[in-house]
Amino acid sequence: MAYDKSRLLKQLISEDSTYKLLYENLPDAICIIDVNGKYVEVNPATEKLTGYPATHFMQLSLDQLFCEKGQQKKEEYFRKALRGETGSFEIAFRRKDGEIRDAYSTYIPIIHDTGVVGVFSITKDITAEKINQARGITERNRIEEALRESEGQYRLISEYSMDLISRHSADESNRYIYVSPSSTTLLGYDPEELIGTSAYDYVHPEDVQMVKERMKIQMNSRSVYTITYRVRHKNGSYIWFESTGRYRYLAYSGEIGEIISISRDVTERKESERRLQESQQRYRSLFEYSPSSVYSMDLDGKYTSLNSNLEALMGYSGEELLGMNFQQIIDREDLAHTLHHFEQAREGIPQNYETTVTRKDGSRLEIAVTNVPIIVDKQVVGVYGIASDITERTRYVEQIEKLSYLHSLILGSVSEGIYGLDENGKTVFINQAASDMLGYDMEEFIGQSNHLLIHHTKSDGAAYPLEECPIIQTMRDGTPRIVKEDVFWRRDGSSFLVEYRVNPMIERGQLIGAVVVFNDITGEREILRAKESAERATQAKSEFLAMMSHEIRTPMNGVISMTDLLMDTNLSEDQRYYAEIISSSSRALLSILNDVLDFSKIEAGKMALEYETFHLESCVASAVDLFLPEADKKGLEISYFIAPDVPDYLYSDPSRVRQILVNLIGNALKFTDRGQVSVRIQRAPGYGSADLLEFSITDTGIGIPADKLHRLFQSFSQVHPIMNRKYGGTGLGLAICKKIVEMLGGHISVESIEGEGSVFRFTLVCDSSNKELPESLQNETGNLEEIAVSREAAGSLLLEPLESSEEDLQNRGLSVLIAEDHPVNCQAFVQMLEKLGYQPDVAHNGMEVIEALIGRKYDLIFMDIEMPVMDGIKTARLIRQLLPLDRLPVIIGVSSCGGVENRERCMASGMETIITKPLKQRDIRQLLDTWGAELLSREGSRKH
């Protein structure tokens, strides 16, 4: 009979999850004792309490743990528990390290239908409490002795109890009549704060109704009651209270007089109960809501418990499955090996295997099964099982196997190296290209951890820490990466440059490895380095050309300026002839330098376009006006025509459009000795939009042979050496035009008949819609007659000598400073200004300009932007910072080359405008006239 009860006890333990949760979570030691007094199982807290491991503890005799008196007490309460009585007692025991500890044990009978089948022993270490209790008793005795003469025993207990002792009115208000001092410790309130107030004022709102109903019931009973509820602490938080009390009746009348209550803080106990409940719920949820099918079987293979997922998997209800043997649903072909795995689990060996089951509807499923033995008291009493449907995965694997050969063919046909790594860094596949580049046989590479053999240094030769390797990082975080240049190592120890991509391998949302695709770029890098070297050489050449053009341009500007001054003097006929030759040659050389500089900028990619809205006819007229004097000398007619349907204002780069026109008109004028040169602008034929314009420059010159036309737009190309000697030029002009036209989005072409003339055409995309006009053009009067004056009249005006009248000379009272480092250019500039009636001062660098401004106020400064020591740009900025507003001069920048970039730099530094060398007296005079009114006004203000 005792054996049957022990067997029943073990079965209860194995099946009930509540016991397991108590074992695992309760901090007190829990032992399960069978009816013979033998320990069946102990929880982990037992080892913490006694110092003995569970297996050792269950082998101990009683005299090793308890003294003789302790053994008797233990046997006494054990016999009571076998009779169905729960009992608690204090007992002393000896730990493994020999220390004697006090404990509080409770024996609880384990009752089944047939009676008591075992005993729960729950033991708590109370050594510290006993010590504190002993100290408390000593202290309490001393206090009782001191207070006994003045107060009764009731007052002593009330005042010094750790529990809250209180008296309440027996009416509905439940007012405090008396409160012990422990209220301060437990609730934060002094007794005086509580007396007179209702106890219900402190009860949690959700618990008030429950407490009132319990109290109402107790009014009709003379028994002791216990209520657990939440009460508000003075700090606003709530704690759990357990109050034990009873109604006290008046002796003389038998009526209820008051309520006597003893309350204690049970928050910690309630929290433990809550945690235990949560733990039970978690365990139940884990079983019930696991995504897998979870079940248990007895040793015969019958289902004893299962979750809903097993029902859904098999198509049977829970009632149908409980008591069913698992062999009934296993496919016949898999029955033998499934039984083998079950037998292994019965022998205590966990099993993982795959099998096939037949559902209730007759369909077959592939499942993966895990069987774990249920062991109680070292005996297997059942088997837990976890099953997952792998039907789709099995089909997927079959499909993969079918595609494996095709994938092998694909991998073998690509030229890029490809290999894959699993999550452990082992190679799972490699294609032939990767095998050849790395120098390994495919068979010896697969299945090995060779990543560190082929990728262990950076491109600079430094060691590659594992955590910095992009391939390893992708294997850890699943982020794809691209590396433009790195180093891989071959089997023979040599290295080569690679560019590679690494992508994660993800299967059903799980990171299982990475795939690396790489290329040998050693040859590409050598080509790239050669290309970069060539580009640097081209850049150096362009920079050298630009520097030399600037250095030659500076003295050339001086030659031109001095020649212009010389020609304004009284010269003999021969002297004037020589001076004109010098002037013509100098300007031709300057034009060549400008072409070289423009071409070098284009080659270096530094020629920028500046788009703005501009007046088309003004741009064309200014380009034509430039050649009126030369056309007049050769007796040629030069004109332009703009079709009526062409917009007045266009959005493009006006300076580059003018440069193209000047080049083409100048070229036409150069090769034409009689007849005319005409410019025509119209909408491009075949296009309906006026935004695509066609510019044509027609001449009646010498023409171009048909077999030479293809060389016209090539750099440094001339049609014929004899022509080059006669007409001069570098052969860059048309090449520059072609580049600029293409930058502006157009196309240039030529038609020519030798001996009759040529027509150069170019198209431009000039957007004329939705562009705001600049402020300078918004006040345009539209009086084009003033702009399009007769070319003959304009030519005569341009040839008119610019000499100052006596009245002009007398009105030149402005102070002017010239900042120029080149002595010839400086001298020419001074003489031009002196002829215009000014007496300028001279500074040769930026520091001298600052010194001059400190000593004197100047109205206007002509500032060369390329001076030594401190250039004009820095000097202009410094002037704006140092001088007060009333002493700031008008600063005009002077440069050897114009361009948008130089103009922007000048404007940003505080200059008003910029003029380019070689300087012309009429340009200077026009500039001074523009600023004249304001400068004379400042001069007048200064005198007054």
Side-chain angles (χ1 to χ4, degrees), residues 88-113:
S88 300
F89 59 97
E90 294 184 10
I91 192 170
F93 69 94
R94 181 183 295 106
R95 283 175 49 85
K96 182 180 180 181
D97 57 10
E99 181 184 5
I100 303 298
R101 306 287 292 183
D102 293 313
Y104 185 84
S105 294
T106 299
Y107 278 18
I108 305 170
I110 302 174
I111 301 174
H112 198 259
D113 294 338

Side-chain angles (χ1 to χ4, degrees), residues 84-211:
E85 301 176 9
T86 298
S88 300
F89 59 97
E90 294 184 10
I91 192 170
F93 69 94
R94 181 183 295 106
R95 283 175 49 85
K96 182 180 180 181
D97 57 10
E99 181 184 5
I100 303 298
R101 306 287 292 183
D102 293 313
Y104 185 84
S105 294
T106 299
Y107 278 18
I108 305 170
I110 302 174
I111 301 174
H112 198 259
D113 294 338
T114 57
V116 176
V117 298
V119 175
F120 261 125
S121 169
I122 304 176
T123 305
K124 180 179 181 180
D125 190 341
I126 62 171
T127 306
E129 295 178 12
K130 292 283 286 183
I131 294 173
N132 292 334
Q133 183 181 9
R135 292 174 180 171
I137 292 173
T138 303
E139 182 66 17
R140 189 182 304 117
N141 290 338
R142 186 183 67 78
I143 295 173
E144 287 176 355
E145 185 66 24
L147 296 178
R148 188 174 292 113
E149 295 180 359
S150 60
E151 296 182 14
Q153 185 70 21
Y154 171 77
R155 175 65 63 181
L156 178 63
I157 295 173
S158 173
E159 293 292 338
Y160 291 96
S161 173
M162 297 300 293
D163 293 338
L164 177 65
I165 301 175
S166 58
R167 293 164 47 216
H168 303 257
S169 63
D171 54 19
E172 292 184 357
S173 65
N174 200 355
R175 289 179 295 103
Y176 285 107
I177 300 173
Y178 168 79
V179 180
S180 66
S182 60
S183 64
T184 304
T185 304
L186 292 175
L187 295 176
Y189 295 99
D190 293 333
E192 293 76 12
E193 295 180 86
L194 296 175
I195 293 173
T197 63
S198 172
Y200 295 130
D201 292 343
Y202 305 94
V203 177
H204 194 286
E206 296 178 1
D207 297 342
V208 170
Q209 189 61 33
M210 178 271 294
V211 174

Side-chain angles (χ1 to χ4, degrees), residues 393 396-397 400 423 504-513:
R393 190 185 76 183
Y396 176 73
V397 170
I400 292 296
E423 63 271 22
M505 283 197 297
I506 298 176
E507 181 180 357
R508 295 188 178 183
Q510 299 231 343
L511 182 63
I512 62 170

Side-chain angles (χ1 to χ4, degrees), residues 106 116 152 184 209-210 226 275 359 397 436 478 534 540 551 651 906 922 932:
T106 299
V116 176
T184 304
Q209 189 61 33
M210 178 271 294
T226 300
R275 287 197 298 267
R359 302 181 78 250
V397 170
D436 293 341
E551 292 300 324
Y651 185 72
C906 291
R922 63 172 175 271

Side-chain angles (χ1 to χ4, degrees), residues 387-423:
S388 300
D389 184 359
I390 60 169
T391 305
E392 289 300 321
R393 190 185 76 183
T394 303
R395 292 175 183 171
Y396 176 73
V397 170
E398 291 174 354
Q399 291 175 352
I400 292 296
E401 290 174 350
K402 291 178 182 178
L403 293 173
S404 177
Y405 179 67
L406 179 60
H407 289 171
S408 298
L409 290 178
I410 294 172
L411 286 175
S413 65
V414 297
S415 59
E416 295 174 309
I418 305 174
Y419 66 91
L421 303 172
D422 64 15
E423 63 271 22

